[in-house]
Amino acid sequence: MARIVMKFGGTSMAGIERIRNVARRIKHEVDAGHQVAVVVSAMSGETDRLVNFCREASPLYDPREYDVVVASGEQVTSGLLAIALQAIGVPARSWLGWQLPIRTSDAHAAARIGDIETGWLTAGEVAVIPGFQGLTDDNRISTLGRGGSDTSAVAVAAAIRADRCDIYTDVDGVYTTDPRIVPRARKLKKVTYEEMLELASVGAKVLQTRSVGLAMKEHVRVQVLSSFDEPGPNETPGTMIVGEEEIDDVERQHITGIAHDKNEAKVTLVAVPDRPGAVATIFSPLADASINVDMIVQNVAHDTGSTDVTFTVPMAELTRALDVLDRQRDTIGFTRIVHDTAVTKISVVGVGMRSHAGVAAQMFTSLADRGINILAITTSEIKVSVLIHEDYTELAVRVLHTAYGLDAEDAA
């Protein structure tokens, strides 16, 4: 018998029939003798609806009251799923985040989980827990930010020492790239925590980045699989996110996947004075405003003693970033700001890059051969990312997927 946490996203919970389908899937695991706890998201689109209510009520809403409103979506689905389970003979009870409780920080709308009590775990009864929500030390309802139900599920799995955490989505696993762009993309049997963390951070939408980081920290084995496939004899039909030690050398490839992210904006400050500390005057105010900066390129200095500095920020933060920089214009000393949203970040990820040279060179050569210009570059130990014009997104993904030998041999 295994102890399993099953998490179901918004598309899985979008309506009574889908909730009944989820209940049948849970029953399949219970009938197999497993001890099951369930974490659910709100119905697809419900959180957006509740967020819009808050904005309509007041653009300057109190984030504490915002959390009260948006947390209600998961309360509905947890109760409905418990009812559906009981209707098919599975003992179940819904629990709210404050009842367990799931203790969090007081950063409303972006809280972090601190501790989860486990007295609610009862043999023979399925606990249905709303994701995304918790309770602050001063007993206010809190939420974890968008996609937070993944983090809730991993945290629950860590707290009860589950054998694994199954994340049910609308895809049946993690692929070498987006199969909508590359039909020959392959589903991966296993991916390391580090690779999944990089893939999630550079555009892969399968798992929330924070949930992967927590899984790696707490050594929680995570499986990504589809809630729309019928249960079969294979207990782990999806993709397992595991420690590097669980992947055999035979299974390991130099490159695991290609990700792309269109939610980046390029910002260039023209004619920044070329002097010590100039770059700090740019990025310190952005950091103080909690604006994440990714790629950074400083051009060769002009004869006039100035240089251009280019970097990327998330698209959603562009307006705020431009405002912060404009208010610091005199301190920084640039002449003008140029920004471009018609860009895409393409990333090559794989733990094999640690021990194999030439991965970056192959990426640059493959793109150059197809006439794709690189606007910026950033690297980590297991990742190389480039910024290109958005018109070349699909071509770049297909070219790199083939260049690194990731195409499925038996695909149509």
Side-chain angles (χ1 to χ4, degrees):
M1 181 186 78
R3 180 174 289 176
I4 303 172
V5 172
M6 305 172 71
K7 183 265 174 178
F8 295 91
T11 54
S12 304
M13 305 298 293
I16 297 300
E17 281 308 311
R18 290 193 177 180
I19 290 174
R20 287 187 179 129
N21 179 62
V22 166
R24 289 190 292 269
R25 183 172 288 277
I26 295 167
K27 186 177 188 300
H28 175 80
E29 299 293 350
V30 172
D31 290 346
H34 301 311
Q35 185 176 18
V36 176
V38 181
V39 175
V40 296
S41 297
M43 291 185 184
S44 181
E46 180 64 10
T47 301
D48 287 336
R49 188 177 73 92
L50 296 171
V51 168
N52 287 333
F53 280 154
C54 293
R55 289 172 177 166
E56 288 177 20
S58 172
L60 299 176
Y61 53 73
D62 183 339
R64 295 168 297 183
E65 302 304 338
Y66 166 93
D67 277 356
V68 173
V69 175
V70 299
S72 64
E74 283 74 14
Q75 177 173 333
V76 171
T77 49
S78 59
L80 289 173
L81 180 55
I83 291 171
L85 285 166
Q86 292 166 5
I88 58 175
V90 178
R93 175 186 168 177
S94 64
W95 296 82
L96 299 185
W98 61 266
Q99 291 177 303
L100 298 181
I102 298 175
R103 290 289 180 183
T104 74
S105 66
D106 60 359
H108 287 276
R112 292 189 173 271
I113 295 174
D115 182 58
I116 301 177
E117 296 181 20
T118 58
W120 48 268
L121 188 63
T122 304
E125 182 180 75
V126 174
V128 184
I129 301 165
F132 179 61
Q133 63 175 243
L135 188 71
T136 65
D137 286 340
D138 59 351
N139 293 324
R140 297 297 301 248
I141 291 175
S142 58
T143 64
L144 310 182
R146 301 309 295 264
S149 292
D150 285 350
T151 302
S152 298
V154 172
V156 169
I160 67 173
R161 301 185 183 277
D163 293 277
R164 71 173 190 268
C165 177
D166 289 346
I167 306 288
Y168 288 86
T169 70
D170 53 1
V171 296
D172 61 351
V174 179
Y175 281 74
T176 48
T177 196
D178 188 339
R180 293 170 298 182
I181 295 177
V182 183
R184 296 176 68 88
R186 293 182 291 107
K187 185 173 74 172
L188 300 164
K189 291 183 179 179
K190 292 180 181 178
V191 178
T192 68
Y193 294 123
E194 288 179 279
E195 289 170 326
M196 193 66 242
L197 195 59
E198 290 284 14
L199 287 168
S201 69
V202 295
K205 307 300 183 185
V206 179
L207 287 175
Q208 188 208 41
T209 306
R210 277 172 59 189
S211 69
V212 182
L214 181 60
M216 181 165 64
K217 175 178 175 289
E218 300 293 338
H219 305 288
V220 175
R221 301 173 80 246
V222 177
Q223 180 181 203
V224 177
L225 65 171
S226 174
S227 58
F228 303 114
D229 292 340
E230 288 299 320
N234 183 4
E235 192 174 72
T236 55
T239 299
M240 293 297 300
I241 317 298
V242 296
E244 195 171 340
E245 68 281 356
E246 286 197 46
I247 299 182
D248 298 331
D249 289 337
V250 176
E251 300 175 294
R252 194 184 306 278
Q253 289 189 251
H254 300 170
I255 299 302
T256 298
I258 314 294
H260 70 282
D261 187 0
K262 293 186 175 182
N263 296 312
E264 295 276 323
K266 179 167 71 80
V267 178
T268 299
L269 300 186
V270 179
V272 175
D274 186 25
R275 61 171 184 258
V279 172
T281 63
I282 298 171
F283 297 110
S284 292
L286 293 172
D288 291 342
S290 299
I291 297 172
N292 291 322
V293 174
D294 186 9
M295 301 175 168
I296 302 174
V297 177
Q298 181 170 333
N299 298 329
V300 176
H302 304 305
D303 293 338
T304 56
S306 64
T307 184
D308 298 341
V309 178
T310 297
F311 54 91
T312 61
V313 297
M315 188 86 75
E317 300 286 359
L318 176 61
T319 302
R320 227 159 44 92
L322 295 176
D323 179 62
V324 168
L325 293 169
D326 193 56
R327 284 189 278 111
Q328 295 292 322
R329 180 186 292 265
D330 292 340
T331 302
I332 299 170
F334 63 88
T335 59
R336 62 192 177 99
I337 303 178
V338 179
H339 67 273
D340 185 4
T341 58
V343 295
T344 300
K345 179 168 66 177
I346 307 289
S347 303
V348 173
V349 177
V351 292
M353 293 171 61
R354 289 177 178 150
S355 55
H356 292 84
V359 171
Q362 185 175 6
M363 182 184 197
F364 304 153
T365 300
S366 298
L367 295 176
D369 288 345
R370 301 306 294 267
I372 301 173
N373 189 40
I374 296 173
L375 306 175
I377 303 168
T378 188
T379 66
S380 72
E381 191 177 22
I382 64 169
K383 177 198 73 180
V384 180
S385 295
V386 298
L387 196 70
I388 65 172
H389 193 279
E390 66 177 6
D391 288 349
Y392 295 101
T393 300
E394 294 191 7
L395 175 60
V397 170
R398 289 194 296 267
V399 165
L400 294 174
H401 197 268
T402 300
Y404 290 110
L406 298 176
D407 291 349
E409 295 179 1
D410 58 349

